[in-house]
């Protein structure tokens, strides 16, 4: 029965001590929060910690969620964003890139506005890793709009609610972030093509021995 309840209804029941409501809400929203934190931080351990903190905060927030200010999803992602930024500020020098083989945690490049043949010479795995690293290298205020709008496919309105800024700010940041991504991915692609060309024209080792 709980599965048919809205997020807001589950939240109200959770605050009354209904454990089934909490578990239902957690299962419904945990995956998205985890992937957001992972894509923002590049660290599975940080993503796990942030996800846990988000739902702990939810239990003890004492009614701070206000549906007139945005959706419940935006509220959750806003909490996650604040948690991630705190962790990045404190631990960024020590974070390593995630290397999860889980396809659900890989970056989708379909939403990014890049030339169709930009990454044609790379394998799919290399492409995903290139995008992963390039997104993680963006400044946080550009990275978060790419993660929300391109990777989570949220609207400008939803992203604006999460980041507590104007829709125009989302548009301008996303435009700039995409431009930076294209520039850096083009640079990576050029380096890859150059490496392939060098390898193909180089004299093979031991060639004289096998003539």
């Amino acid at each position: 029965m709980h599965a048919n309840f809205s997020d807001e209804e589950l939240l109200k029941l959770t605050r009354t001590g209904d454990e089934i409501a909490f578990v239902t809400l957690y299962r419904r929203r945990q995956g998205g929060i985890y992937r957001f934190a992972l894509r923002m931080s590049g660290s599975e351990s940080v993503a796990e910690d942030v996800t846990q903190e988000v739902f702990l905060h939810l239990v003890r927030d004492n009614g701070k969620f206000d549906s007139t200010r945005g959706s419940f999803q935006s509220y959750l992602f806003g909490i996650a964003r604040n948690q991630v930024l705190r962790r990045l500020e404190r631990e960024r020098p020590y974070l390593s890139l995630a290397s999860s083989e889980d396809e659900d945690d890989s970056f989708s490049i379909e939403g990014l506005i890049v030339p169709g043949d930009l990454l044609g010479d790379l394998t799919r795995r290399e492409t995903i890793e290139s995008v992963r690293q390039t997104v993680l290298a963006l400044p946080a205020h550009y990275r978060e709009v790419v993660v929300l709008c391109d990777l989570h496919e949220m609207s400008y309105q939803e992203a604006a609610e999460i980041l507590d800024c104007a829709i125009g700010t989302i548009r301008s940041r996303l435009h700039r972030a995409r431009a930076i991504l294209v520039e850096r991915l083009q640079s990576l692609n050029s380096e890859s093509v150059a490496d392939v060309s060098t390898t193909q024209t180089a004299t093979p080792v031991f060639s004289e021995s096998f003539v």
Side-chain angles (χ1 to χ4, degrees):
M1 182 176 66
H2 284 72
N4 298 322
F5 290 164
S6 68
D7 289 340
E8 290 82 357
E9 289 171 331
L10 290 173
L11 179 59
K12 289 178 181 178
L13 290 172
T14 294
R15 288 171 178 161
T16 66
D18 189 326
E19 294 183 8
I20 296 178
F22 175 78
V23 170
T24 303
L25 189 58
Y26 178 85
R27 288 175 176 172
R28 181 182 295 176
R29 293 298 181 181
Q30 174 267 342
I33 296 299
Y34 175 85
R35 285 190 292 275
F36 169 77
L38 178 63
R39 289 163 170 171
M40 281 294 295
S41 69
S43 167
E44 292 179 356
S45 63
V46 167
E48 291 169 358
D49 289 347
V50 166
T51 302
Q52 181 177 355
E53 283 299 318
V54 166
F55 284 92
L56 285 175
H57 180 91
L58 194 62
V59 171
R60 58 177 182 252
D61 74 347
N62 296 321
K64 292 181 182 178
F65 167 63
D66 182 357
S67 60
T68 64
R69 298 180 59 185
S71 69
F72 181 74
Q73 174 179 256
S74 297
Y75 175 67
L76 273 189
F77 272 82
I79 299 172
R81 181 230 184 185
N82 291 335
Q83 291 290 333
V84 168
L85 292 180
R86 288 195 192 100
R87 293 295 295 266
L88 289 179
E89 204 173 296
R90 186 169 71 246
E91 304 177 28
R92 185 60 190 174
Y94 309 102
L95 296 180
S96 60
L97 297 181
S99 58
S100 173
E101 297 297 327
D102 186 349
E103 195 64 26
D104 288 339
D105 291 336
S106 64
F107 285 101
S108 167
I109 65 171
E110 294 177 359
L112 298 178
I113 309 303
V114 298
D117 61 348
L118 177 61
L119 300 170
D121 294 328
L122 298 175
T123 65
R124 183 175 184 279
R125 184 173 298 277
E126 288 170 338
T127 298
I128 291 172
E129 187 58 26
S130 295
V131 174
R132 188 194 307 274
Q133 294 192 42
T134 305
V135 171
L136 282 169
L138 289 171
H141 63 292
Y142 289 145
R143 190 187 325 155
E144 60 192 10
V145 293
V146 169
V147 171
L148 292 173
C149 295
D150 284 332
L151 303 183
H152 283 266
E153 300 181 339
M154 292 186 182
S155 67
Y156 292 159
Q157 178 64 44
E158 289 172 314
E161 290 175 1
I162 293 168
L163 303 182
D164 193 23
C165 64
I167 291 178
T169 301
I170 298 296
R171 286 198 182 98
S172 61
R173 286 181 184 176
L174 190 58
H175 178 77
R176 178 56 181 154
R178 286 169 172 169
I180 295 171
L181 283 173
V182 169
E183 181 181 353
R184 292 181 179 176
L185 289 170
Q186 284 176 329
S187 177
L188 286 173
N189 189 52
S190 297
E191 292 173 5
S192 176
V193 171
D195 290 342
V196 171
S197 176
T198 301
T199 301
Q200 289 176 341
T201 58
T203 301
V205 179
F206 306 127
S207 59
E208 295 180 0
S209 301
F210 288 92
V211 173

